[in-house]
Amino acid sequence: TNPNIVIDFYLFVCLLVYFKHESHTKTTITAATTATATTTITERTVYTVSIMMRLTALTLMMSSGAAAAFTTTTTTPLGFRDSVSSYKKNNNDNKKQPLSITTTTTQQQLSNVLEEEKTKKQQPVIMTMSKALPFLKCPPALADCDFAGNVGFDPLGLAKNKEQLWEYREAEIKHARLAMLAAVGWPSSELWDRAVAIQFGMNPVLDDTGRAPSLLNGGLGRVSPIWWGFCIGLSAAIDMYGIEKARRSNAGGENLYRPGMLEFDPLNLYPSDKQGQERMELAEMKHGRLAMLTVVSYSLEEWITKMAVVDETPILFNPLLS
């Protein structure tokens, strides 16, 4: 049964009874004495108040969904108070349980959504087209790779699978770090080699035009064998340390090692948060790739022009170091 229809019907019946009793009361007041009229008015007032209290209790009960309370009747103000108190108690008990369930469900749903978003962020984005060369498809080995600086650039298809990709990445980051040192050391040697050699009583390794020794410039034979031995030994030690580091990281069956992860950070520059680490790794790869191109340009420029880079483009070096 629709509660609104029941309430409207009950209200209509109450109003009919009220107006009928009102008419009867007026007749009684006209024909009776003052004492009798006072008594009748008092009875009418009590009757009317009783009807209104019943109607109020019924409205509250029906609006809260307690349809069973429709049959509850009260004859005295005390009974009405007991019914209202019982209704409030039951209503509060009914409200507490759905509220607790709703709150728990909402928190659980929110936790599920946050967990899904976190999982999506951790999963690498699968590329279909190369970001570096948008007109080419991304190589399969790079499609879901989460390495820093991955833009799907492998036009020659050198990385056939994940194992080769890791090997090439290890080689890339080693060459990138070495190139960053060379990009600074090449022009520095052309600026200060003569002064340092004279200070220690040694022969400069620069040629007559002031160019640094290289495969294209020549002059590698003027470098001391002791220096070559030191460089080769240091490179081998670093390489062996990286291999042992990878073995220890993967000893438990989990692939925790990443290419170039030697944990060498004496200045404590590597961030502790995930976002900062990704930003630092990306910056390292960008600077390393740029440095590799820079060293190649040094070699080609000096081989073609027969001049040192510090003399060919002095504005890039002398104003900063003079």
Side-chain angles (χ1 to χ4, degrees):
T1 304
N2 191 337
N4 294 331
I5 297 176
V6 175
I7 293 174
D8 293 339
F9 176 77
Y10 190 77
L11 177 61
F12 177 75
V13 173
C14 290
L15 290 176
L16 288 179
V17 173
Y18 174 81
F19 284 118
K20 181 178 179 181
H21 189 75
E22 179 73 17
S23 176
H24 177 71
T25 302
K26 288 182 180 180
T27 304
T28 304
I29 293 175
T30 303
T33 61
T34 303
T36 304
T38 302
T39 303
T40 305
I41 292 174
T42 303
E43 293 176 353
R44 183 197 66 178
T45 302
V46 172
Y47 183 77
T48 303
V49 171
S50 177
I51 291 176
M52 298 306 295
M53 287 191 298
R54 294 180 184 183
L55 181 60
T56 302
L58 176 64
T59 304
L60 292 173
M61 295 175 185
M62 297 301 291
S63 63
S64 64
F70 176 73
T71 58
T72 303
T73 57
T74 55
T75 56
T76 62
L78 180 59
F80 170 73
R81 287 195 298 269
D82 294 339
S83 298
V84 172
S85 300
S86 177
Y87 157 73
K88 288 182 177 180
K89 180 179 179 181
N90 295 333
N91 192 35
N92 292 335
D93 294 339
N94 292 335
K95 285 183 178 179
K96 289 179 181 179
Q97 184 176 1
L99 180 60
S100 178
I101 295 175
T102 304
T103 304
T104 304
T105 304
T106 304
Q107 292 177 351
Q108 184 176 3
Q109 292 176 350
L110 181 59
S111 300
N112 294 337
V113 172
L114 294 177
E115 188 66 23
E116 291 178 0
E117 293 294 332
K118 183 178 179 180
T119 304
K120 290 180 180 179
K121 290 181 179 180
Q122 293 177 351
Q123 293 178 351
V125 179
I126 299 178
M127 291 187 295
T128 56
M129 302 298 292
S130 174
K131 294 181 180 180
L133 303 173
F135 52 87
L136 294 179
K137 290 185 177 181
C138 181
L142 298 175
D144 58 347
C145 176
D146 61 345
F147 288 159
N150 176 30
V151 291
F153 182 79
D154 188 15
L156 301 180
L158 299 178
K160 305 296 183 182
N161 48 51
K162 295 295 183 182
E163 289 74 16
Q164 288 186 347
L165 178 61
W166 275 64
E167 293 176 0
Y168 281 122
R169 180 63 172 208
E170 189 78 34
E172 181 187 24
I173 196 167
K174 288 179 180 179
H175 285 78
R177 291 169 176 172
L178 183 61
M180 286 188 283
L181 295 175
V184 177
W186 190 306
S188 299
S189 66
E190 295 181 345
L191 289 171
W192 300 323
D193 177 73
R194 295 185 186 277
V196 173
I198 294 173
Q199 184 70 25
F200 287 93
M202 302 172 63
N203 296 325
V205 296
L206 301 179
D207 61 8
D208 296 337
T209 60
R211 295 181 301 173
S214 68
L215 291 175
L216 298 179
N217 294 339
L220 294 177
R222 293 192 295 269
V223 180
S224 172
I226 298 176
W227 174 252
W228 285 123
F230 172 77
C231 292
I232 295 175
L234 180 62
S235 300
I238 294 175
D239 201 26
M240 292 300 296
Y241 174 78
I243 295 174
E244 184 62 24
K245 179 72 176 177
R247 290 177 179 175
R248 290 199 305 267
S249 300
N250 302 333
E254 298 182 3
N255 193 5
L256 302 177
Y257 178 78
R258 295 177 65 85
M261 190 180 66
L262 301 179
E263 296 184 355
F264 178 77
D265 186 19
L267 299 180
N268 197 22
L269 299 177
Y270 194 63
S272 58
D273 59 293
K274 183 66 175 178
Q275 185 177 2
Q277 293 175 359
E278 293 177 353
R279 184 174 62 253
M280 182 70 74
E281 292 174 2
L282 180 60
E284 182 184 28
M285 288 310 305
K286 287 183 176 181
H287 285 81
R289 289 168 178 173
L290 181 60
M292 287 188 283
L293 295 176
T294 302
V295 173
V296 172
S297 67
Y298 287 168
S299 301
L300 294 177
E301 183 180 354
E302 292 191 353
W303 178 60
I304 294 173
T305 63
K306 307 301 180 182
M307 294 180 60
V309 291
V310 294
D311 296 330
E312 181 70 20
T313 54
I315 192 174
L316 299 177
F317 304 100
N318 291 333
L320 299 177
L321 302 177
S322 60

